[in-house]
Amino acid sequence: MIVPIEGFSKLSKEEKIDWIALNYTSNPKATKKILKSYWNTDANVQKLHDEFIENTITNYYLPLGIAPNFLIDEKLYAIPMAVEESSVVAAASKSAKFWLKRGGFKTTVLGTEKIGQVHFIFKGDFDKLNEFFKTIKPKLVSDALGITKNMNKRGGGIVDIELRNKTAQLKNYYQLHCTFETLDAMGANFINSCLEQLAMTLKNEAKLFSSFSSSVKNIEIVMSILSNYVPNCLVRAEVSCPVEELMNDKNDARVFAEKMVRAVTIANVEPHRAVTHNKGIMNGIDAVVLATGNDFRAVEAGVHAYAAKDGAYTSLTNASIDKGVFRFWIELPLALGTVGGLTNLHPLAKLALEILHKPSARELMQIVAVAGLAQNFAAVGSLVTTGIQEGHMKMHLLNILNQLGATEQEKRSLIEYFKKNTATHNAITEALEKLRNT
Ligand code: MEV
């Protein structure tokens, strides 16, 4: 019987592995072998990874692929993508190549504002609280100088602090709603440290404010935390070309453009489709966010909230045909960093950033948005023409053949066969059996 364990984190790595293998797996020896086979042979690299989190027992690999030929604002990029889904890098590369010949991607950063909030409870009169807030606002900023001075020197820091009355939503609930400029840092630690300092000043100053009666002097800080919803940390990426340049045949090109616009319109009016449409976009976004050592959970949470900002969940991309020109664009919030966090600590994240010409956070926002747009163009392009499975199963073919234990010779021959035949799981299994029986 498995029993709870005390002090697991205090065990050595070997002891942790022994414990998990013995208590939770059927073949402890094999378990240990698998876990250790993923350790890095360089002890220093392994130690670095061990120390990223608590209770590390091994590394979890994802493939790191490259999608080349991205022309973004006249500069060529090869985009590193960390992702397990077989068709994602191929789809991105296909889009990149397609738009390379049609002027490439154009981007604009529409804002870089980050947000954090001190949530607190005040049981007195709002006008008095507002008067108090106005009085202490300069002190809120000056008390945080110990944290903000370096960021201030580089042109960032606390941009504004607002008092927000949220009592209509919850009795006695107020916020310090703060905006920040964190330059090339994603800024989570900076923002959270600032907020905790602001909360402390707020609480301490309230005790000294003479207009507060003793019964309301005690402000209760509920929590101080950044918001991953950053609608003003926004980037736009776009592609466009005359409709007839979309395909060799003018008529096919017009039909394709119209189908693309209609498919995006469906994603704009139908949440079930919008979620899948945006999932396809996130295939591209997350892969670059992850490869560059950024926080993909933060990006995911913020992006989906943005997709629902007008009250219904809609597409992050849009498409139009105007005066014979096809346009396809994306607008989304991305809080990213190119310094701090894992970006310079994880050797592969650092390398990914080098491959991307060591971008600023703004440039990384542009690149990531392009990866999302390219991914969506490829996915929707396939959906409205051949269907998704043709390309997807071709890419997935190798995974299935590996699962079935195909030899290199069998793989070569079946990859050739499925260039001309429809690949489904059944068809692949049958073709392999047939090959083996001939
Ligand atoms: C699969 O990972 C992504 C797609 O479903 C996206 C889409 O439907 O647009 C193909």
Side-chain angles (χ1 to χ4, degrees), residues 85 273 276-277 279-280 283 376 379-380 383 388:
E85 193 173 323
R273 174 58 203 149
T276 316
H277 180 95
K279 187 274 180 186
N283 278 344
N376 188 234
V380 178
L383 285 169
I388 205 74

Side-chain angles (χ1 to χ4, degrees), residues 223-258:
M223 57 193 156
S224 309
I225 188 73
L226 93 168
S227 170
N228 290 123
Y229 183 46
V230 281
N232 295 326
C233 189
L234 202 63
V235 58
R236 180 188 158 97
E238 176 179 327
V239 283
S240 67
C241 73
V243 169
E244 67 261 26
E245 286 179 17
L246 283 168
M247 281 182 181
N248 289 337
D249 180 282
K250 266 190 181 175
N251 200 36
D252 287 352
R254 186 185 48 77
V255 172
F256 175 71
E258 284 167 1

Side-chain angles (χ1 to χ4, degrees), residues 53-334:
I53 61 165
E54 194 169 62
N55 298 344
T56 309
I57 53 173
T58 193
N59 308 306
Y60 189 94
Y61 288 2
L62 278 184
L64 180 69
I66 293 286
N69 299 323
F70 271 95
L71 185 63
I72 306 175
D73 300 324
E74 311 302 329
K75 198 164 163 184
L76 255 187
Y77 290 87
I79 302 189
M81 303 177 93
V83 63
E84 86 300 345
E85 193 173 323
S86 30
S87 52
V88 169
V89 176
S93 308
K94 191 173 157 201
S95 259
K97 201 166 158 195
F98 182 92
W99 287 107
L100 179 67
K101 297 184 203 119
R102 293 166 178 82
F105 296 80
K106 304 279 181 294
T107 69
T108 322
V109 173
L110 301 168
T112 56
E113 178 187 279
K114 312 271 171 64
I115 292 170
Q117 297 166 320
V118 177
H119 305 264
F120 66 94
I121 301 293
F122 172 72
K123 294 193 175 145
D125 173 58
F126 175 65
D127 289 338
K128 287 233 171 86
L129 179 66
N130 203 18
E131 183 197 327
F132 163 68
F133 170 69
K134 284 187 182 142
T135 314
I136 66 151
K137 196 171 169 184
K139 182 147 175 60
L140 285 169
V141 175
S142 62
D143 279 3
L145 273 175
I147 304 162
T148 58
K149 63 176 185 299
N150 285 338
M151 191 67 94
N152 290 346
K153 260 190 235 153
R154 299 198 299 270
I158 300 173
V159 176
D160 195 18
I161 309 172
E162 266 175 66
L163 172 68
R164 289 199 173 170
N165 184 342
K166 306 295 284 184
T167 52
Q169 284 82 14
L170 180 69
K171 199 172 164 208
N172 301 327
Y173 168 39
Y174 298 89
Q175 296 169 347
L176 293 183
H177 183 92
C178 313
T179 46
F180 298 86
E181 171 54 61
T182 61
L183 306 168
D184 283 338
M186 190 263 190
N189 284 327
F190 171 76
I191 293 173
N192 289 335
S193 299
C194 285
L195 293 170
E196 288 186 6
Q197 176 58 57
L198 296 177
M200 210 183 318
T201 303
L202 180 78
K203 193 169 172 60
N204 292 342
E205 290 301 311
K207 285 190 191 129
L208 307 173
F209 193 61
S210 55
S211 305
F212 283 162
S213 65
S214 56
S215 62
V216 303
K217 272 182 192 309
N218 220 350
I219 282 180
E220 185 190 338
I221 305 295
V222 180
M223 57 193 156
S224 309
I225 188 73
L226 93 168
S227 170
N228 290 123
Y229 183 46
V230 281
N232 295 326
C233 189
L234 202 63
V235 58
R236 180 188 158 97
E238 176 179 327
V239 283
S240 67
C241 73
V243 169
E244 67 261 26
E245 286 179 17
L246 283 168
M247 281 182 181
N248 289 337
D249 180 282
K250 266 190 181 175
N251 200 36
D252 287 352
R254 186 185 48 77
V255 172
F256 175 71
E258 284 167 1
K259 283 183 169 179
M260 288 295 285
V261 172
R262 195 173 48 199
V264 175
T265 308
I266 289 174
N268 265 319
V269 298
E270 164 51 47
H272 280 91
R273 174 58 203 149
V275 170
T276 316
H277 180 95
N278 290 347
K279 187 274 180 186
I281 293 171
M282 299 317 285
N283 278 344
I285 304 269
D286 283 344
V288 191
V289 170
L290 197 55
T292 55
N294 275 277
D295 182 344
F296 62 92
R297 287 87 55 209
V299 167
E300 281 279 345
V303 164
H304 296 298
Y306 187 77
K309 70 180 188 318
D310 298 322
Y313 189 91
T314 63
S315 165
L316 294 162
T317 53
N318 270 297
S320 69
I321 304 167
D322 190 20
K323 299 193 182 82
V325 174
F326 171 75
R327 250 176 240 290
F328 191 60
W329 71 96
I330 189 167
E331 215 175 85
L332 82 171
L334 289 171

Side-chain angles (χ1 to χ4, degrees), residues 1-108:
M1 197 186 73
I2 304 172
V3 291
I5 182 166
E6 282 283 326
F8 182 70
S9 66
K10 309 237 162 38
L11 298 181
S12 71
K13 189 164 146 186
E14 286 284 351
E15 287 167 336
K16 284 176 189 134
I17 289 175
D18 284 345
W19 183 83
I20 195 82
L22 198 68
N23 286 287
Y24 285 88
T25 71
S26 58
N27 186 344
K29 208 168 149 206
T31 300
K32 285 193 237 175
K33 195 167 165 217
I34 296 180
L35 291 174
K36 290 185 180 180
S37 71
Y38 282 88
W39 285 3
N40 200 290
T41 46
D42 180 332
N44 287 329
V45 174
Q46 189 50 55
K47 186 164 183 299
L48 187 71
H49 285 74
D50 285 351
E51 290 174 359
F52 285 157
I53 61 165
E54 194 169 62
N55 298 344
T56 309
I57 53 173
T58 193
N59 308 306
Y60 189 94
Y61 288 2
L62 278 184
L64 180 69
I66 293 286
N69 299 323
F70 271 95
L71 185 63
I72 306 175
D73 300 324
E74 311 302 329
K75 198 164 163 184
L76 255 187
Y77 290 87
I79 302 189
M81 303 177 93
V83 63
E84 86 300 345
E85 193 173 323
S86 30
S87 52
V88 169
V89 176
S93 308
K94 191 173 157 201
S95 259
K97 201 166 158 195
F98 182 92
W99 287 107
L100 179 67
K101 297 184 203 119
R102 293 166 178 82
F105 296 80
K106 304 279 181 294
T107 69
T108 322

